[in-house]
Amino acid sequence: MHRYLLLTLAMLLLYAWSAQAQESRFKKRPRHLFKTPDCYCTNRGIRIELGDFSCLYVDGTTYLAQCQMALNNPTWRKIQDGCSTSRLENKQLASYPLNEAGGME
């Protein structure tokens, strides 16, 4: 009888310890312990931060786009056709050589 009492007590202690371990494992961590992802867009190898604008050249056309988030991914959103900073025709723009950073030489 004494053995059964000790065995039952040991089982209860083991169950209580296991439940406490499970609870601490799934306990929510404070938000300051999580690292936020570093999201940005790129234009010809140049890093563009979220919310910034850039002139994109795609398939022979230029347009002004903004770096935004869509479904947890950085993406370009077209704002307007053409770029206010670039007054060159597409043929002229394509004939200029580009340097390693993606800009004109």
Side-chain angles (χ1 to χ4, degrees):
M1 174 89 176
H2 194 347
R3 282 188 214 169
Y4 293 117
L5 182 61
L6 286 176
L7 184 59
T8 305
L9 186 60
M11 294 287 278
L12 285 173
L13 286 173
L14 183 63
Y15 176 75
W17 177 76
S18 174
Q20 184 181 14
Q22 288 286 348
E23 181 183 323
S24 66
R25 194 170 87 191
F26 294 111
K27 196 174 183 180
K28 287 190 175 185
R29 293 185 287 171
R31 292 191 67 77
H32 70 276
L33 295 178
F34 290 99
K35 184 179 183 223
T36 58
D38 189 23
C39 297
Y40 58 91
C41 299
T42 57
N43 182 12
R44 297 183 185 213
I46 299 172
R47 179 181 173 138
I48 309 295
E49 298 298 326
L50 289 173
D52 289 347
F53 296 88
S54 186
C55 184
L56 301 181
Y57 179 73
V58 179
D59 291 334
T61 61
T62 58
Y63 61 91
L64 184 65
Q66 183 181 26
C67 179
Q68 296 179 357
M69 292 294 287
L71 297 174
N72 293 331
N73 292 305
T75 186
W76 289 107
R77 297 282 176 157
K78 185 176 181 179
I79 303 299
Q80 69 181 22
D81 290 327
C83 298
S84 59
T85 59
S86 174
R87 296 291 180 209
L88 297 175
E89 295 294 324
N90 291 338
K91 292 178 185 176
Q92 290 175 327
L93 186 62
S95 66
Y96 285 100
L98 301 176
N99 61 20
E100 291 178 16
M104 290 186 212
E105 292 180 345

